[in-house]
Amino acid sequence: MNTEQKKRSKASELADSSRPDTAIIANEDKDTLLKYYYEMVLIRRFEEKSGEMYNKARIGGYCHLNLGEEATVVGFCHGLGPEDYIYANYREHGYALSRGISAKAVMAELFGKSTGITKGRGGSMHLFDINSRFMGGYGIVGGQVPLAVGAAYAIKYREGKEVVACQMGDGATNGGPFYESLNLAKIYQLPVIFFVVNNQYGMGTRVEAGSAVAELHRKGNAFDMNNIRVDGNDVLAVRDAMRSAVKLAREKSEPTLIEAVSFRFRGHSVVDPDRYRDRDEVQRLRGINDPIAKYTARLKDASLLDDTRINEIAEQVEREVEEAVNFAEESPFPSLDTLYDYIYADDTAAH
């Protein structure tokens, strides 16, 4: 086995791992655990429907789905407090949903309608909601990272207690802004969490082929920064890693780099034919790494979920997603006379 194969094997072992079920969730709140399950199912169905709507030309521009990353998304969001800020990349639909933004508002935004969360101006890659402190998805790879550091600097300057969580893909860790941001975050001891979703491919390039350090969390060592690698298919492991990082940031104003290893079910975007991955391997790993299937088994083993409840949640989610599509279809496009609205910040806006 050569060096590259060893690196792949190590990542796959982490993504394939599952912790003992009942012991892990014995002291957890039942309703909270079921909420995580519901959100993961909602994200899965919402993204499947988004892909379908894109193929029907209801959604324009680019569209990147969280399929296969549901545990990573939900664990990330529920490790934060409502007062904390999120900066995300362009694969952010699930993060918006888990943060509490309604499926109707997100779907309408994907359709470019005025009832969307950014009034039809943002589309798939630029969701934004100040009320939930979801500070946007960003289309430029790594573009959100310096902005998150700036927000963390502002919080520390004001002597606030909020934390900034900056989500990004593995490819963003190879750009200059990433290293500059980690450096500044450590120098100024800022309350920021750098959260890298390692779905093992930066567009069509495997992580090992694009990064000299394939264990991406180790890049934090260059800045003497707290860092950890976690199984992105384990919603509770991701949540707990986030909680630890949030505690460190809030209490000691120290940054953390988290790498969550997950598996992307489809290509980089909806239009990506995904020909750079072996079909048989993708199908096999989907079965092994499906975070919803894993979590379902854990909840069943702990007698917290049965087939009746699974069907009830599936039906609830299906209704919610269909209602979101109908809402988006029936909503109007922004009026032409609002073309120049929202270009500049309103000087009366709350700070």
Side-chain angles (χ1 to χ4, degrees):
M1 183 180 291
N2 60 33
T3 302
E4 181 174 326
Q5 288 173 328
K6 287 180 180 178
K7 289 178 181 178
R8 289 192 190 187
S9 177
K10 190 165 186 178
S12 296
E13 285 173 8
L14 178 59
D16 293 351
S17 67
S18 59
R19 301 187 295 174
D21 299 331
T22 310
I24 296 299
I25 62 178
N27 298 319
E28 296 277 352
D29 177 71
K30 176 182 177 180
D31 291 338
T32 299
L33 293 175
L34 291 177
K35 177 178 175 61
Y36 298 164
Y37 176 79
Y38 159 76
E39 287 187 7
M40 289 167 66
V41 175
L42 173 62
I43 293 168
R44 173 71 58 88
R45 188 68 192 109
F46 185 95
E47 294 293 62
E48 290 172 344
K49 182 61 74 171
S50 296
E52 179 185 333
M53 291 297 102
Y54 190 93
N55 290 330
K56 290 183 177 180
R58 296 295 193 274
I59 298 172
Y62 288 101
C63 186
H64 307 79
L65 307 179
N66 290 123
L67 290 170
E69 299 178 358
E70 295 86 359
T72 297
V73 173
V74 174
F76 170 87
C77 289
H78 284 278
L80 297 165
E83 71 276 24
D84 299 325
Y85 294 89
I86 294 176
Y87 284 78
N89 69 355
Y90 44 78
R91 196 184 303 277
E92 89 276 38
H93 306 165
Y95 294 89
L97 293 172
S98 188
R99 191 61 173 173
I101 302 173
S102 75
K104 288 182 178 180
V106 177
M107 188 65 77
E109 188 58 42
L110 302 190
F111 277 50
K113 298 299 184 71
S114 61
T115 54
I117 193 62
T118 45
K119 304 184 186 300
R121 265 83 174 167
S124 171
M125 296 197 292
H126 303 289
L127 304 177
F128 177 90
D129 180 38
I130 190 64
N131 293 322
S132 61
R133 301 201 166 184
F134 190 85
M135 306 306 289
Y138 292 82
I140 297 174
V141 175
Q144 72 277 24
V145 187
L147 299 179
V149 169
Y153 185 90
I155 290 169
K156 185 164 186 178
Y157 185 81
R158 298 196 318 259
E159 299 183 352
K161 287 298 181 181
E162 306 98 320
V163 171
V164 178
C166 183
Q167 175 267 2
M168 70 198 81
D170 46 82
T173 70
N174 297 321
F178 172 79
Y179 296 99
E180 294 168 2
S181 296
L182 264 65
N183 189 51
L184 288 175
K186 185 62 180 181
I187 287 174
Y188 295 116
Q189 290 187 286
L190 301 181
V192 59
I193 300 166
F194 301 101
F195 186 82
V196 180
V197 181
N198 180 2
N199 60 32
Q200 303 177 53
Y201 281 87
M203 295 191 71
T205 304
R206 277 203 65 94
V207 171
E208 297 81 10
S211 177
V213 178
E215 295 176 8
L216 303 179
H217 70 101
R218 292 175 52 213
K219 295 186 177 185
N221 291 337
F223 306 97
D224 196 24
M225 183 179 295
N226 180 54
N227 62 85
I228 184 175
R229 191 182 223 202
V230 65
D231 180 2
N233 296 314
D234 184 337
V235 63
L236 300 184
V238 175
R239 182 206 62 184
D240 291 347
M242 283 294 296
R243 284 180 174 177
S244 296
V246 166
K247 180 179 175 65
L248 184 65
R250 207 181 310 279
E251 295 181 359
K252 297 185 178 180
S253 194
E254 280 285 346
T256 296
L257 172 60
I258 298 175
E259 175 191 4
V261 180
S262 63
F263 183 77
R264 193 179 70 204
F265 276 16
R266 293 179 56 173
H268 175 72
S269 69
V270 175
V271 297
D272 178 2
D274 198 12
R275 292 175 182 150
Y276 43 84
R277 299 196 294 185
D278 179 79
R279 296 290 183 187
D280 292 337
E281 180 185 15
V282 169
Q283 289 301 320
R284 181 181 66 82
L285 291 177
R286 277 187 184 182
I288 294 173
N289 292 321
D290 189 330
I292 295 179
K294 285 187 172 186
Y295 193 49
T296 300
R298 293 172 71 179
L299 293 177
K300 279 188 168 184
D301 287 346
S303 300
L304 297 178
L305 191 66
D306 56 26
D307 290 340
T308 298
R309 186 68 179 124
I310 289 172
N311 291 333
E312 289 174 351
I313 292 174
E315 291 172 2
Q316 178 186 351
V317 164
E318 189 64 32
R319 286 194 301 271
E320 188 171 347
V321 172
E322 287 300 325
E323 288 172 2
V325 170
N326 292 336
F327 176 77
E329 290 276 23
E330 295 167 2
S331 295
F333 286 103
S335 172
L336 284 177
D337 61 13
T338 67
L339 181 63
Y340 296 104
D341 291 353
Y342 313 112
I343 293 176
Y344 296 100
D346 182 351
D347 59 9
T348 65
H351 296 286

